[in-house]
Amino acid sequence: MKNRLIGTSVPRKEAFDKVTGRARYVDDVSFPGMIYGTTVRSKVARGRLRGIALGPGIPWDEFVVVTAKDIPGINAIHLINDDQPCLADGVINHPEEPVVLLAHPDKHLLEKARQAVVLDIDELPAVHSIEDALAKTAVVWGEDNIFKRYTIEKGDIAEAFANADVILEGHYETGAQEQLYIENNGVIASYSEEAGVTIWGSLQCPYYIQKALIPLFGVGPERARVIQLETGGGFGGKEEYPSMIASHAALLAKKAGVPVKIIYDRAEDMAATTKRHPSRTVVRAAVMRDGTVVGLDIDFAIDGGAYSTLSQVVLSRGLIHAAGPYSCPNVHILGRAVATNSPPHGAFRGFGAPQSIFALERHLDEIGKYLGIAPDEIRRRNFVKPGQTLATGQVVRDDVDMNVLLDRALEAAGWGDKKARFAVENREEGSVKRGIGLATFLHGTGFTGSGEKFLASIVGVEATADGHVRVLAASTEIGQGTNTIFAQIAGDALGVDYDVIQVGQPDTAFVPNSGPTVASRTCTIVGKLVETAALGLRQTLLGSGLLEEPYSSEQFVKACSAYVARSGELRAYAEYKQPPYIKWDEDTFKGDAYGAYSWAVYVASVKVDTLTYEATVEDFVALQEVGKVIHPTLAAGQIEGGVAQGIGWALYENVVWKNGRMANDRMTDYIMPTSVDLPPIRALFAESPYSYGPSGAKGIGELPMDGPGPAIVNAILDAVGIGIPRIPATPEVVMEAYLANTSVTRVCRATEVARG
Amino acid sequence: MVDASLKRPLSFDVNGKTVNVDVAPMARLLDVLREDLHLTGAKEGCGEGECGACAVIVDDKLVNSCLIPALQARGASVRTIEGVAKGDVLHDVQKAFLTWGGAQCGICTPGMVLAAVSLLEKNPKPTEQDVRVALAGNLCRCTGYMKIFESVLKACETAMARESASEAAR
Amino acid sequence: MRAHVASYDLVQPGSLREVLTLLAREPGVYRPLAGGTDVMVVYAGGKLAHTKFVDVHGLRELRGIVVTDDAVTLGALTTYTDVQAEPTLGREFPMMGQAASETGGWAIQNRGTLGGNIANASPAADSPPALLAYDASVELTSTRGARWVSYATYHTGYKTTVRAEDELVTRVRIPRIAPGAQGSRVHMFRKVGPRKAQAISKVSFAACVDVDGTRITSARVALGGVAPVVLRVVATEGALVGADVTTLDVAAIGATLSREVTPIDDIRSTARYRRRVAENLFVELTRKLKAHVGLGSQAR
């Protein structure tokens, strides 16, 4: 197999429709007879629902009204624990809990009606922080507010702490973050007794929705069909949440007898749908005078919101990444996902890893500062090397040299020159101080542990009557380039031109389940299946006598077409097989957490205005080793976009909570970076092929979310000597730290270990 | 209460064609474009002029169509994303977005393309900083904007090259 | 879209006289609608008190910028884009263009108007501090006639003003000074918002200080976001006027300013932050003044 498409920047498959405005997103689509749906929500963080009243001034007889009583099957949004109801029935657990659904042909009257529904709720004490959840100020979930608890153990932590020169403890926090795709959540549902439920929507994971509809309606999979339309961004925000909105629209459609469209407006999308889990991490490090970290004791906790949803999976990824790309021989990591009374937090690019990586990467700079060791140097003294083990005991098989990556990133960033220049300039009068900071990290490709084995994803390829080859997968194009890279991979496997390959619309009636579009798995895991399936199709064609090697693209197309004419269809499938070396113990969290990791060094140059306490990123270098770059433009676009989101999380994107509800639920008040807020983002790649990825590719989608937070805050430390323990480091946070003169001894407690 | 049935006649030009439509007095231009005229290229990302996904060009000025009562467009000349390409022949900006990675999920793309077109009509030789300023009212969550800047600057290069070629030919 | 569209009305009279007649006939019933950049946001949120609007955007009478020897007079429908393009403003009143360029993004600047900004009376608006610092006046017109009020006396409380319900903001006038005096004038504008564009300011600061040698002859310092109204800090100004730049008691005057502002905590920032930044920006102003008279280095 020769790479002719892979490694080149072919035009994005659906770009023409996108640049001309012809691409059809869910709100651009309507069906005959279609009406609109909306959701009445609780407004109260926790309580008992006593009654529902339809207030005056609304022609209620014109409305379709759905409550929990109308659910034909099980009242739950099926995911892992099934603890989240589709519609509240008696109990309210967060202030955006859906209670009543309404539908009407006039969407403006519908909104008026929504405001006229009165919910009678007896309020109960609620929990609004990780601390309160752990302290059980009120028990709001299970017996102890803990959704899940995991631990990782490596070596002998007690001995490490007893024999270290110094022990440094730091407390770190990260805030919630809104995915803020520019297209809000939306679906259209139709229902008929014969066909069951059909969903068209903006979504990442069609089969998640199908699996949620089956128990809700008590139907088989053949009567729960899900079709993805063009999707205006996801970032995890359209992983599990669309199951909720699809269920709601489907219930309304069943009762209404006509298709129902629900499109959230921005305020509803921001307040009611998932966000990145807030976290707090306590890192205790046992360190030798030379900077070697001999022991890491990490207590990692995330706020899961009111229902368990994906929190345990987010927790496990956070936990596994908590000890970073370092060889520390003695590690103890406790992870807990807790319940609070806010809407459930959910999937968001990085999925727990950015939170725990922030804590460790910040802490390393604090350790370095305490010991007088430069940030790059302290990392060099601790990097894991091939053959050594990560925190789970996983032996590093990737051919990676973090020192080489670090050298290259520092050079690209002008680290040495800037350090010297800033040191001089920062002594001058003037309110602007500059600094440079870095973060080094890894990110595992695909589902954690045995996840991919259980998913057992399937991909198909089929020849069309006109001789094209269509990729059949449930993996969705959400802007990241799925259509394009699948076509490149299939094209190269078949040895044909890019235009020969089409990518089928994800529709559960026609595509096999290639798993969810999450976890940086689409290229590596699903892409490999595309390659395998395509090779299978090619084999069949070669064996049929219709095609002989060598062949041209045109000959291939003719042969395909002839095969379909002769045999009716030509399809090939591939199913995921776990690489044989992967051993994972879910109970002890020991073994090969991921088949491979991508590795990265990010460097941020930051200026801090001491008049306004605003930190601004002036330059950003993002270097990563990702196996093989399938499409240079798309890959760089993924990194640049991810870094921009990371910069947003680090400095701007502050969710203001009031009694469990997002108070700043508008784009005016929740601040994502504009084009004038971002520095040049320089995405650089190193390639060290991974044998189980297509042409060696590993994951890249989530990686760029991990580094910006700590690199930027470390740069602030370099600029003004202030160690900020939490992000977003808004000017208000920077000011308070600045006025308190927060130094290493405040953020990070140091204890010299006495020696007898 | 105002009489809900009192729709007003409205006439304006959209992409070079005159349209006549009856609208509620406070109907937003965005909704009239999308629902009455079925021009769904303009998107509603926020409904408050913050994201620019609904941007259109009214009388040669970039505006947010969610913030304009349609009646204020009476007699105006409105350009939407649907009118930027001539049939299937793309505008330089569209071609550049397609080639240089300016579009990812595509939801901000119509507004972003129109903002870029509006910039180049005012300033055919923008610096990167000019591009940044001109696009600051159009939020993109996918790209981090870098590929968008690149696309706009490449579109300028293409236009310049064509201009100097046609000058040379003269 | 949370407004019940059918419940709202918009009327479009063809002339200023007709608009004023309507406002006089039913005072407070019709809310004037210009560029829509404020009103339409609240409308879409379903939070408007008014259900009737009168469109003033088409009124030619309210357009245009007139430069005379003693003033620049701007029609109420002057957009932020217009402000940035006007050369006299750029030369003599640079803070006007600066404030305009930092309002929203291009699409907002093409549509938002100075008159609308003044009528809307948000304490966080961008241009008002500059208007205060430049001692602007506002023309209010009704069927009863037109009157000019000093902008310094225009705001009376949170989103309340001296404008009567039948009055329309029609023009804004900024007094010019002798061309020779420009060199002794120090302008400092700073918008501190959550990001560099599309932002509502947390604190904004505009100062226009005239210096004769090293002596301050006139000082107008205005802040947004630190009080229920855009605020002239008159006690601070009083302490500056007559003082010598070389011997300014920065700490004492800064304390005066701190007493004059009354910021609050809200979802956009904290009172502590707003107060502190206001103080810091005042210190920055004194640095600028010192640099202007040749003392110390210009702050970077």
Side-chain angles (χ1 to χ4, degrees), chain A residues 18 25 28 107 675 678, chain B residues 35 43 45 104-105 132 141:
Chain A
K18 286 177 173 174
Y25 300 79
D28 305 335
K107 59 180 162 185
S675 57
L678 293 171
Chain B
E35 293 170 13
K43 311 297 181 190
Q104 285 194 24
C105 84
R132 283 174 175 263
R141 193 57 157 171

Side-chain angles (χ1 to χ4, degrees), chain A residues 545-728:
Chain A
L546 292 167
L547 186 67
E548 270 176 34
E549 289 192 283
Y551 54 81
S552 69
S553 222
E554 292 71 29
Q555 288 167 327
F556 181 91
V557 167
K558 274 199 190 116
C560 264
S561 186
Y563 191 105
V564 174
R566 193 178 76 184
S567 310
E569 60 175 38
L570 171 56
R571 284 208 187 92
Y573 290 91
E575 182 174 339
Y576 178 79
K577 299 272 182 308
Q578 195 171 51
Y581 63 84
I582 294 185
K583 302 273 182 299
W584 175 251
D585 185 331
E586 186 71 33
D587 297 324
T588 61
F589 264 56
K590 279 199 186 346
D592 300 297
Y594 300 96
Y597 293 86
S598 294
W599 305 77
V601 179
Y602 282 13
V603 187
S605 301
V606 169
K607 74 169 179 189
V608 180
D609 186 332
T610 56
L611 290 176
T612 61
Y613 314 100
E614 294 164 300
T616 310
V617 185
E618 295 190 302
D619 184 39
F620 202 100
V621 168
L623 168 65
Q624 42 266 308
E625 191 284 296
V626 298
K628 168 74 187 171
V629 175
I630 300 286
H631 188 298
T633 297
L634 287 182
Q638 280 295 290
I639 300 304
E640 290 159 6
V643 167
Q645 273 181 342
I647 291 173
W649 188 47
L651 295 178
Y652 301 101
E653 298 182 30
N654 185 36
V655 176
V656 179
W657 295 103
K658 275 199 183 133
N659 299 322
R661 189 180 183 282
M662 182 184 194
N664 53 336
D665 56 357
R666 300 167 57 192
M667 277 191 167
T668 310
D669 296 323
Y670 180 80
I671 304 300
M672 67 161 271
T674 71
S675 57
V676 287
D677 295 299
L678 293 171
I681 299 168
R682 299 188 276 149
L684 306 173
F685 294 95
E687 296 177 305
S688 170
Y690 166 52
S691 24
Y692 295 92
S695 292
K698 298 190 284 194
I700 60 167
E702 296 175 290
L703 183 77
M705 197 68 224
D706 295 338
I712 289 164
V713 179
N714 286 340
I716 295 174
L717 174 67
D718 186 47
V720 291
I722 302 298
I724 291 168
R726 68 172 57 87
I727 50 175

Side-chain angles (χ1 to χ4, degrees), chain A residues 432-456:
Chain A
V432 172
K433 309 294 176 193
R434 290 187 164 81
I436 186 164
L438 64 87
T440 57
F441 53 99
L442 45 61
H443 198 100
T445 293
F447 263 35
T448 304
S450 313
E452 292 294 346
K453 194 166 81 184
F454 294 130
L455 272 178

Side-chain angles (χ1 to χ4, degrees), chain A residues 11-12 14-16 18-25 27-28 107 112 177-184 231-233 235 266 348 478-479 633 636-638 640-641 644-645 653 666-668 672-676 678-681, chain B residues 1 31 34-35 40-46 48 50-51 53 81-82 85 87-88 90 94-95 97-101 103-110 113 129 131-133 135-137 139-147 149:
Chain A
R12 170 185 283 277
E14 73 291 350
F16 184 88
K18 286 177 173 174
V19 301
T20 53
R22 294 178 199 179
R24 306 271 279 171
Y25 300 79
D27 200 21
D28 305 335
K107 59 180 162 185
K112 207 171 164 180
Q177 184 183 22
E178 167 58 32
Q179 292 88 356
L180 214 72
Y181 30 70
I182 306 297
E183 182 206 25
N184 291 316
T231 295
F235 316 110
R266 182 58 60 182
F348 190 166
I478 55 173
T633 297
Q638 280 295 290
E640 290 159 6
Q645 273 181 342
E653 298 182 30
R666 300 167 57 192
M667 277 191 167
T668 310
M672 67 161 271
T674 71
S675 57
V676 287
L678 293 171
I681 299 168
Chain B
M1 280 293 270
D31 297 325
R34 288 179 54 83
E35 293 170 13
T40 55
K43 311 297 181 190
E44 177 161 0
C46 67
E48 56 180 12
E50 204 68 29
C51 74
I81 188 67
E82 288 88 350
D88 277 353
L90 299 181
Q94 291 173 309
K95 258 185 247 166
F97 268 63
L98 191 148
T99 310
W100 301 101
Q104 285 194 24
C105 84
I107 197 82
C108 77
T109 308
V113 166
Q129 184 56 26
V131 176
R132 283 174 175 263
V133 169
L135 303 185
L139 299 179
C140 171
R141 193 57 157 171
C142 291
T143 62
Y145 306 104
M146 301 297 134
K147 296 273 178 278
F149 304 153

Side-chain angles (χ1 to χ4, degrees), chain A residues 52-68:
Chain A
I52 298 166
L54 304 179
I58 304 291
W60 287 111
D61 55 337
E62 296 173 10
F63 282 77
V64 179
V65 181
V66 164
T67 64

